[in-house]
């Protein structure tokens, strides 16, 4: 008996994972990709395409390669720890070839519309391919078209921009710095893209101004002892500590840690908010201290040749680059609040709760504070609660979000990486049972608990992940080539055993209270 037919919209990192999930479950996937290749956002193109987010030539991942992978297909161990977009594309091509996914993709096929039949039995999809429209019928839909679709260009918030005689663009139009040689440039926005562009442009520009309304905490990929940031911050151990420690103490620790590298107040970056989100800007303080990047407040207005900032200062500028983010939109969905409301309410960021039948799923339409590939790959829920149960979970998530993140409409899909991975893994029975693992393999349990939360620990277990992280750094062989010192294994084991004991006591005590 043939499996149910599933339409996968988009062949980016989430779409490729969705195709493979469908094949594993005995389903028949057909992926519709509007361009002529896989990769989605990570595929660099010289030309810009309307309605499609894009990256600049030098774009490099800010999540560790050991985490930016699918669970059963690790990156080659010789790949650098943080991958340039060309290396990510190489990895994705290898993945698609290894699992023979490309044959299920129809390229240059844009989904124009989709509409459920009145009995909710299936969905009609209208697809445009090379100028011709074709109709298809599917039992289910997986939307993998990315959270980043249309650029946000809030010109209405910048009086005088229409009379500005220089050039202004959105960051999605930026490719490389050569044509900005000798220019005076303002980059508006201090997210990851804004920081990257300000740093890169400062090598060729006459002057770069980085304008920010509320400042930002800046972290870098290289953490203590030269190890990648992810190996320290994204662990089960740190996640449990965050649950037990008061938020103000966690914020104070993080802010002191970041200020120890450079004083955010002195550098003009101290944000109005406590530590909830950070911008990855490895070289930003070096460029500020050398004067190549000047931090400015928000732009109050533009004249024909200059910008006037909120503090009253005025600077002559030639180019304005708005690094103001993207909006998510799904123009092919029918305009129906029961499909997707204005707040994009989704159970576990996957299923709209008001559907009569769960035949529509959104994969990878979220912003993890960490890697996207493993979070989207785990989004394969088997059973759903009632509508009231799903809505209760959504309301609970929103309350938690208000405490952890900024009240920004563009950040409503943010999740904590380890917490979300564990939550979804628990739903599908893939979360590692640490007390049980500790009994038969203490070394593995310690590595899972203290080590980086890599995707393959939810399905497989790779004890060599630390060696894989160190290998690409060792391009020069030393005579006394010893691994970097770390906490002794016996001490880690003792701490893990003590912590697991405490957790079990807490769980048992809660049960007694309940009964």
């Amino acid at each position: 008996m043939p499996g149910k037919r599933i339409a996968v919209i988009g062949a980016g990192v989430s779409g490729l994972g969705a195709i493979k999930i469908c094949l594993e479950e005995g389903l028949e996937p057909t992926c519709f990709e509007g361009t002529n290749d896989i990769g989605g956002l990570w595929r660099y193109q010289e030309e810009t395409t309307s309605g499609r987010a894009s990256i600049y030539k030098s774009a490099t991942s800010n999540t560790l390669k050991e985490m930016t992978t699918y669970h059963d297909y690790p990156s080659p161990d010789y790949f650098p720890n943080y991958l340039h977009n060309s290396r990510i594309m190489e990895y994705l091509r290898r993945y698609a070839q290894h699992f023979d996914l490309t044959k299920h993709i129809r390229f240059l096929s844009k989904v124009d519309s989709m509409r459920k039949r009145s009995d909710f039995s299936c969905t009609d999809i209208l697809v445009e391919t090379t100028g011709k429209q074709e109709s298809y019928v599917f039992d289910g839909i997986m939307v993998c078209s990315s959270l980043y679709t249309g650029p946000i260009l809030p010109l209405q918030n910048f009086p005088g921009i229409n009379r500005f005689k220089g050039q202004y663009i959105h960051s999605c139009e930026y490719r490389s710095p050569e044509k900005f040689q000798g220019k005076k440039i303002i980059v508006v926005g201090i997210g990851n893209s804004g920081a990257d562009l300000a740093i890169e442009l400062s090598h060729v520009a006459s002057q770069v101004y980085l304008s920010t309304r509320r400042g930002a905490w800046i972290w870098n990929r290289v953490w203590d002892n030269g190890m990648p940031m992810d190996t320290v911050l994204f662990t089960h151990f740190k996640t449990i500590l965050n649950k037990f420690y008061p938020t103000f103490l966690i914020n104070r620790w993080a802010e002191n840690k970041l200020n120890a590298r450079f004083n955010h107040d002195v550098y003009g970056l101290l944000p109005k908010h406590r530590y909830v989100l950070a911008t990855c800007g490895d070289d930003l303080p070096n460029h500020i201290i050398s004067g190549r990047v000047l931090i400015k407040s928000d732009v109050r207005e533009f004249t024909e040749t200059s910008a006037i900032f909120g503090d009253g200062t005025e600077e002559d500028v030639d180019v304005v680059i708005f690094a103001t983010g993207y909006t998510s939109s799904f123009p092919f969905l029918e305009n129906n609040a029961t499909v997707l409301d204005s707040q994009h309410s989704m159970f576990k960021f996957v299923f709209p709760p008001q559907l009569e039948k769960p035949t529509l799923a959104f994969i990878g339409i979220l912003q993890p504070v960490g890697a996207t590939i493993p979070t989207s790959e785990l989004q394969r829920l088997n059973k759903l609660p009632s509508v009231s149960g799903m809505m209760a979970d959504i309301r609970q998530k929103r309350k938690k979000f208000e405490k952890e993140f900024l009240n920004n409409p563009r950040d409503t899909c943010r999740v904590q990486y380890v917490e979300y991975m564990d939550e979804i893994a628990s739903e599908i029975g893939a979360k590692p049972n640490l007390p049980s693992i500790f009994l038969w393999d203490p070394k593995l349990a310690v590595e899972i608990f203290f080590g980086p939360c890599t995707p393959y620990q939810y399905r497989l277990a790779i004890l060599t992940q630390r060696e894989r992280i160190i290998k690409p750094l060792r391009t020069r062989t030393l005579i006394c080539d010893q691994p970097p010192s770390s906490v002794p294994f016996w001490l880690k084991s003792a701490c893990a055993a003590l912590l697991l004991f405490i957790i079990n006591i807490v769980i048992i005590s809660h049960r007694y209270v309940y009964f």
Side-chain angles (χ1 to χ4, degrees):
M1 181 178 178
K4 291 186 176 182
R5 300 185 63 200
I6 305 297
V8 178
I9 302 176
V13 297
S14 299
L16 292 176
I19 296 171
K20 182 171 176 291
I21 289 172
C22 288
L23 295 173
E24 290 174 347
E25 298 293 334
L27 305 173
E28 297 181 4
T30 300
C31 178
F32 297 102
E33 168 57 42
T35 68
N36 62 355
D37 202 355
I38 65 171
L41 177 65
W42 284 108
R43 184 165 62 90
Y44 172 75
Q45 291 180 292
E46 282 291 342
E47 69 280 1
T48 58
T49 305
S50 177
R52 179 179 179 269
S54 55
I55 56 172
Y56 35 96
K57 194 171 186 177
S58 63
T60 300
S61 171
N62 55 20
T63 56
L64 183 67
K65 71 157 185 191
E66 295 301 311
M67 295 179 174
T68 313
T69 62
Y70 301 98
H71 80 276
D72 54 356
Y73 196 77
S75 295
D77 58 2
Y78 58 85
F79 270 23
N81 282 296
Y82 293 99
L83 302 177
H84 181 260
N85 62 80
S86 59
R87 284 296 183 97
I88 292 179
M89 281 302 301
E90 181 182 347
Y91 169 75
L92 294 176
R93 294 191 196 285
R94 290 183 177 200
Y95 178 77
Q97 181 180 8
H98 181 80
F99 293 106
D100 199 18
L101 304 180
T102 310
K103 69 180 182 181
H104 300 281
I105 304 173
R106 298 190 180 184
F107 295 104
L108 298 174
S109 298
K110 177 187 174 185
V111 175
D112 286 336
S113 66
M114 47 184 284
R115 185 174 296 275
K116 277 190 169 294
R117 293 188 175 178
S118 57
D119 61 355
F120 296 95
S121 60
C122 49
T123 302
D124 294 304
I125 288 186
L126 194 63
V127 178
E128 183 178 332
T129 305
T130 61
K132 298 180 181 179
Q133 286 192 332
E134 299 176 347
S135 182
Y136 299 87
V137 179
F138 289 96
D139 299 296
I141 313 293
M142 301 176 79
V143 178
C144 310
S145 54
S146 173
L147 188 65
Y148 310 106
T149 49
I152 297 175
L153 195 60
L155 299 181
Q156 70 279 4
N157 297 334
F158 297 91
I161 188 65
N162 292 327
R163 66 173 182 267
F164 177 62
K165 291 185 177 180
Q167 178 188 11
Y168 66 86
I169 62 172
H170 189 272
S171 59
C172 71
E173 300 176 60
Y174 175 85
R175 289 296 178 269
S176 58
E178 290 80 14
K179 67 178 181 180
F180 298 98
Q181 184 79 37
K183 302 287 186 181
K184 294 181 179 179
I185 303 170
I186 293 179
V187 178
V188 179
I190 196 169
N192 293 323
S193 296
D196 276 355
L197 267 56
I199 293 167
E200 182 167 278
L201 286 165
S202 68
H203 291 286
V204 301
S206 169
Q207 183 63 61
V208 173
Y209 304 97
L210 182 53
S211 171
T212 172
R213 184 175 71 254
R214 62 188 179 197
W217 297 104
I218 306 296
W219 63 11
N220 59 317
R221 295 174 177 89
V222 182
W223 207 253
D224 295 344
N225 302 313
M227 294 303 291
M229 167 188 66
D230 312 56
T231 64
V232 179
L233 299 182
F234 301 131
T235 69
H236 287 96
F237 174 65
K238 279 287 174 65
T239 301
I240 288 180
L241 285 184
N242 290 344
K243 290 181 179 179
F244 282 97
Y245 273 70
T247 302
F248 79 92
L249 285 180
I250 297 172
N251 288 339
R252 183 181 299 171
W253 173 85
E255 291 161 11
N256 289 340
K257 187 76 174 175
L258 297 180
N259 276 324
R261 183 178 178 229
F262 71 92
N263 190 308
H264 284 60
D265 187 15
V266 172
Y267 278 62
L269 288 167
L270 186 67
K272 299 176 182 178
H273 55 80
R274 299 299 302 271
Y275 175 82
V276 288
L277 284 174
T279 293
C280 192
D282 298 324
D283 297 326
L284 186 58
N286 297 333
H287 288 249
I288 295 173
I289 203 169
S290 62
R292 289 184 286 180
V293 174
L294 298 180
I295 303 299
K296 304 293 288 187
S297 60
D298 57 316
V299 177
R300 191 169 69 197
E301 66 174 306
F302 287 97
T303 69
E304 291 184 349
T305 59
S306 66
I308 302 173
F309 296 93
D311 57 6
T313 59
E314 184 174 358
E315 302 288 352
D316 291 335
V317 292
D318 304 303
V319 180
V320 181
I321 299 179
F322 290 96
T324 43
Y326 293 87
T327 182
S328 59
S329 62
F330 310 99
F332 46 82
L333 287 180
E334 55 185 302
N335 187 18
N336 188 332
T338 62
V339 176
L340 199 62
D341 62 20
S342 59
Q343 295 178 301
H344 288 185
S345 300
M346 289 181 275
F347 177 66
K348 308 297 184 187
F349 297 96
V350 180
F351 288 102
Q354 302 289 354
L355 292 180
E356 188 74 18
K357 293 183 180 180
T359 55
L360 173 65
F362 292 81
I363 307 299
I365 312 298
L366 77 171
Q367 291 177 285
V369 183
T372 298
I373 289 180
T375 50
S376 64
E377 188 190 23
L378 272 180
Q379 292 179 314
R380 51 196 298 176
L381 303 178
N382 299 320
K383 296 180 181 180
L384 299 180
S386 63
V387 172
S388 60
M390 287 191 281
M391 290 304 300
D393 182 82
I394 291 171
R395 287 191 293 268
Q396 182 184 7
K397 290 287 190 301
R398 284 180 181 158
K399 288 181 180 179
K400 188 173 185 291
F401 170 86
E402 291 171 0
K403 294 180 180 179
E404 294 182 352
F405 299 109
L406 301 177
N407 187 19
N408 187 333
R410 282 177 286 168
D411 291 333
T412 54
C413 292
R414 285 202 183 273
V415 295
Q416 297 289 1
Y417 171 75
V418 180
E419 285 186 16
Y420 185 77
M421 292 279 283
D422 279 352
E423 180 182 354
I424 299 299
S426 296
E427 293 280 344
I428 63 175
K431 182 181 177 181
N433 186 332
L434 282 178
S436 175
I437 294 174
F438 187 80
L439 292 177
W440 58 268
D441 194 338
K443 187 176 181 180
L444 176 60
V446 168
E447 184 61 33
I448 291 174
F449 187 67
F450 287 101
C453 182
T454 50
Y456 29 76
Q457 69 180 230
Y458 290 92
R459 304 294 173 86
L460 308 170
I462 298 182
L463 283 172
T464 58
Q465 59 186 14
R466 293 184 184 274
E467 288 79 1
R468 291 169 52 81
I469 291 168
I470 293 170
K471 181 175 180 176
L473 299 174
R474 289 186 167 170
T475 55
R476 172 176 171 247
T477 303
L478 302 178
I479 296 175
C480 297
D481 196 6
Q482 296 295 329
S485 60
S486 60
V487 180
F489 175 72
W490 67 266
L491 182 57
K492 284 186 176 182
S493 300
C495 291
L498 179 60
L499 192 56
L500 290 172
F501 176 75
I502 294 173
I503 292 172
N504 285 329
I505 293 297
V506 171
I507 293 173
I508 292 171
S509 63
H510 277 297
R511 288 177 178 171
Y512 279 123
V513 170
Y514 177 79
F515 286 112

